[in-house]
Amino acid sequence: MLQVLQLFKEINGRQILNDISFEIENGGSLAIIGESGSGKSTLAQLIMALQQPTSGQIMFNGRSLPSKRSKSYKEWYRDIQIVFQNTASILNPAMSLFQCLEEPLVNFTNLNRLERKHRILEYLDKVGLREDLLRKRPGKLSGGQYQRACLAKALLIKPNLLICDEIVSGLDIVLQQRVIDLLKSIQKEQGVSLLFITHDLSLISGLCNDILVMKGGNKIEQFHTSDLHNEKNRDAYTNMLIKSTQMLETTWEL
């Protein structure tokens, strides 16, 4: 279980996160929504131990957030994986796709080479990529193929928690839906917990159990996804986000 308790983060005298608290149960899913600059990506980096909070606690399955230099950092990073919005630097351009995907298996598992190959082929199939792509360099992949390859890399070591930080924002609507459907099936198959960060409310239906709304580094509210369109119970900012999403959907339909 992930527990974020009274989290504060200050950078260069600017308060980025203010008293953020929430939990994700094992196998649970939470969407964090808010416009750009609300602190969503900073929160993800803190959970990944890529940064340290100014104050507050992050706990995962009873363990406290490690520092990068601690021995427990590798174990933390093995249990929690992240796929970023900007994936261009995730796959080494000098390596083949096979080598890129094999790397986490070498670092975090005891699988032999044949077992690693079988695992890679298994997850390549899960994300809908062809085996012949393994010989290519990442730069030869399309945007949608690259994003799905990054997702496969994160899932190969079978983490307990997957963080998705705006991972479909650069894809067209068809590819967005494919990735969302893929996440749904992986959740069902593996029971992985999911933290899905987005500014687009239309993406989270059927994907996340709960929604946390952020604005300017503050937690505005948290509620069950089924209560999203209960306008009377929602904060004015949440209702504004809903209306903005509906306007965008109408524009696409036209």
Side-chain angles (χ1 to χ4, degrees):
M1 183 206 319
L2 176 70
Q3 293 177 296
V4 175
L5 306 169
Q6 297 178 310
L7 202 66
F8 289 82
K9 179 62 178 178
E10 183 180 300
I11 300 177
N12 297 326
R14 179 175 167 232
Q15 201 69 35
I16 306 299
L17 295 173
N18 299 289
D19 196 16
I20 303 297
S21 297
F22 63 86
E23 294 184 0
I24 302 178
E25 297 288 344
N26 290 329
S29 53
L30 175 70
I32 297 183
I33 64 169
E35 59 195 322
S36 298
S38 59
K40 305 186 304 294
S41 292
T42 299
L43 178 59
Q45 291 178 31
L46 291 174
I47 294 170
M48 285 300 301
L50 299 175
Q51 297 187 45
Q52 292 293 313
T54 303
S55 64
Q57 278 189 306
I58 299 175
M59 306 281 293
F60 188 70
N61 288 339
R63 290 174 287 147
S64 297
L65 183 75
S67 66
K68 269 194 170 184
R69 296 180 181 179
S70 70
K71 293 181 180 179
S72 59
Y73 178 76
K74 183 175 181 179
E75 184 180 354
W76 186 275
Y77 196 68
R78 184 241 174 275
D79 289 341
I80 305 176
Q81 286 285 296
I82 188 168
V83 183
F84 292 101
Q85 175 183 7
N86 181 8
T87 59
S89 61
I90 301 299
L91 304 179
N92 190 330
M95 299 168 71
S96 69
L97 179 58
F98 180 86
Q99 291 172 317
C100 291
L101 297 180
E102 187 181 34
E103 189 176 31
L105 293 175
V106 172
N107 291 333
F108 294 104
T109 74
N110 295 318
L111 299 178
N112 62 39
R113 184 169 176 79
L114 182 60
E115 291 170 331
R116 293 196 297 269
K117 183 178 180 180
H118 286 160
R119 177 78 65 86
I120 288 169
L121 291 176
E122 176 190 353
Y123 277 83
L124 209 69
D125 182 64
K126 286 181 185 294
V127 300
L129 293 178
R130 305 186 313 272
E131 182 178 350
D132 62 281
L133 293 175
L134 291 173
R135 296 189 296 273
K136 294 189 175 185
R137 299 287 177 88
K140 298 296 184 181
L141 304 178
S142 69
Q145 289 172 334
Y146 197 106
Q147 188 64 283
R148 283 179 284 165
C150 290
L151 186 57
K153 184 180 180 181
L155 291 167
L156 274 166
I157 57 175
K158 300 184 178 180
N160 299 126
L161 173 66
L162 178 67
I163 302 173
C164 298
D165 185 7
E166 298 277 12
I167 67 169
V168 297
S169 61
L171 305 178
D172 63 41
I173 291 178
V174 174
L175 284 175
Q176 282 186 354
Q177 192 57 54
R178 286 181 184 174
V179 173
I180 295 300
D181 289 343
L182 173 62
L183 287 172
K184 290 178 183 178
S185 65
I186 288 169
Q187 274 187 283
K188 187 175 181 179
E189 288 176 16
Q190 295 185 195
V192 62
S193 301
L194 177 66
L195 179 61
F196 189 81
I197 297 172
T198 183
H199 64 276
D200 188 348
L201 280 162
S202 66
L203 298 172
I204 59 180
S205 178
L207 179 64
C208 296
N209 299 326
D210 296 284
I211 298 172
L212 188 154
V213 182
M214 291 182 63
K215 180 184 180 183
N218 296 290
K219 176 180 175 179
I220 301 301
E221 61 177 337
Q222 184 175 346
F223 51 89
H224 194 272
T225 306
S226 62
D227 205 31
L228 174 62
H229 295 286
N230 190 340
E231 188 172 344
K232 292 181 180 179
N233 290 343
R234 298 283 60 81
D235 185 87
Y237 177 68
T238 305
N239 286 327
M240 184 203 74
L241 290 176
I242 295 170
K243 289 176 182 176
S244 297
T245 300
Q246 291 170 341
M247 288 175 64
L248 284 172
E249 289 175 338
T250 301
T251 302
W252 276 108
E253 289 172 2
L254 292 174

